[in-house]
Amino acid sequence: MKNTVEIRWHGRGGQGAKTAALLLAEVAFEIGKYVQGFPEYGPERMGAPITAYDRISDDPIRIHSNIYEPDYVAVVDETLLEAVDVTKGLKKEGAIIINTAKSKEEIMCHLKGYEGDVHLIDARKISEDALGRYFPNTPMLAAVVKVSGIMEEQRFIDEMETSFKHKFATKSEVIDGNMKALKRALREVK
């Protein structure tokens, strides 16, 4: 489909990959895009690998399936590089975004010869600094927006702030922490 960006998220249950995919779909919808955001998992438990997906388009989306050849892949937990073929079907002209403190050289051997762009972000450090706890999904969400260019950054920030204010109306510290994490991730993704 022309004018459609497809994103596959890899994470572990409880890390927020599903939530990040759904938030991205919500924000893209708010700026006038056609969207799909959905998880794929069975009866997995906390810590088990999960996959989530986003389709974002300027045109109505008529396909209803998993995404087999994504433009972008977000890896929320770097231990999945050993357990899951995260580059399977990933378009060479696309990119992979990985939550890690490691260097690109240390990561490349886990990407099965993938030749496209590789972007790294230390979502653990960002979330712990901004939120006081490990919630990698917020920085990863910002990194995906930055790398993919699917929306203007300031519009993304504004829409996310509106969303957080709605979801966490009585918890201003959660709103502030998440906004700090988003803004810092936009600056720090490599």
Side-chain angles (χ1 to χ4, degrees), residues 32 82 137 184 187:
E82 297 292 325
N137 60 336
R184 184 169 162 189
R187 290 190 310 269

Side-chain angles (χ1 to χ4, degrees), residues 8 10 75 78-92 96 98 104-118:
R8 187 174 65 216
H10 292 280
V75 182
E78 74 178 285
T79 65
L80 291 171
L81 298 174
E82 297 292 325
V84 177
D85 184 0
V86 296
T87 60
K88 185 176 183 178
L90 178 56
K91 294 176 183 168
K92 185 177 176 180
I96 188 166
I98 303 167
K104 185 174 178 181
E105 293 73 29
E106 293 173 289
I107 292 296
M108 290 305 293
C109 63
H110 301 288
L111 300 182
K112 301 189 184 320
Y114 177 67
E115 297 176 1
D117 288 344
V118 176

